[in-house]
Amino acid sequence: MTVIVARTSTPEGEAALAASIEEARRRQEDLLVFNLEGAQIDPEGTDLDGVPVTYRVPDARSHDAVGDLLDAAEEVGASAVVIGVRHRSKVGKFLLGSAAQQILLEASAPVIAVKSRSV
């Protein structure tokens, strides 16, 4: 099985990546780093801190990166999805939506939500 992480180039994304490496190591599984921003932000390689890793980005023709992530989780039979979260006001969530909320509600695998250590 595989742990999948929703990766972004934010403090929350860094926290999610670190947590996903630990989770994959704990479960003795591979890690799939899914870059929600669409560009490769990680060096291509075969492992991260000793954990076998592969990288993916959303389909270039798609306008739904979160949907692509959820599809990838289904495709690889993800055992867990790791996401980074941050506090947003109720108005901010209403106006902008929330990728984290969509993943929490629609993922077929358990979702692990982590906060960054920065304030």
Side-chain angles (χ1 to χ4, degrees), residues 28-81:
Q28 298 180 340
E29 296 179 353
D30 294 348
L31 177 63
L32 172 59
V33 177
F34 192 95
N35 183 5
L36 287 174
E37 295 168 338
Q40 190 68 25
I41 59 174
D42 296 296
E44 197 63 45
T46 57
D47 73 271
L48 272 175
D49 296 335
V51 174
V53 64
T54 56
Y55 299 92
R56 274 203 204 169
V57 294
D59 186 324
R61 299 165 293 183
S62 173
H63 296 289
D64 183 13
V66 172
D68 291 347
L69 170 100
L70 294 169
D71 290 345
E74 288 279 331
E75 178 187 320
V76 301
S79 62
V81 178

Side-chain angles (χ1 to χ4, degrees), residues 66 88 92-94 96-104:
V66 172
R88 290 177 47 194
K93 284 186 243 181
F94 176 74
L96 300 175
S98 171
Q101 182 176 357
Q102 183 180 353
I103 293 167
L104 283 165

Side-chain angles (χ1 to χ4, degrees), residues 75-90:
E75 178 187 320
V76 301
S79 62
V81 178
V82 182
I83 61 173
V85 295
R86 64 182 170 91
H87 178 75
R88 290 177 47 194
S89 69
K90 290 180 183 180

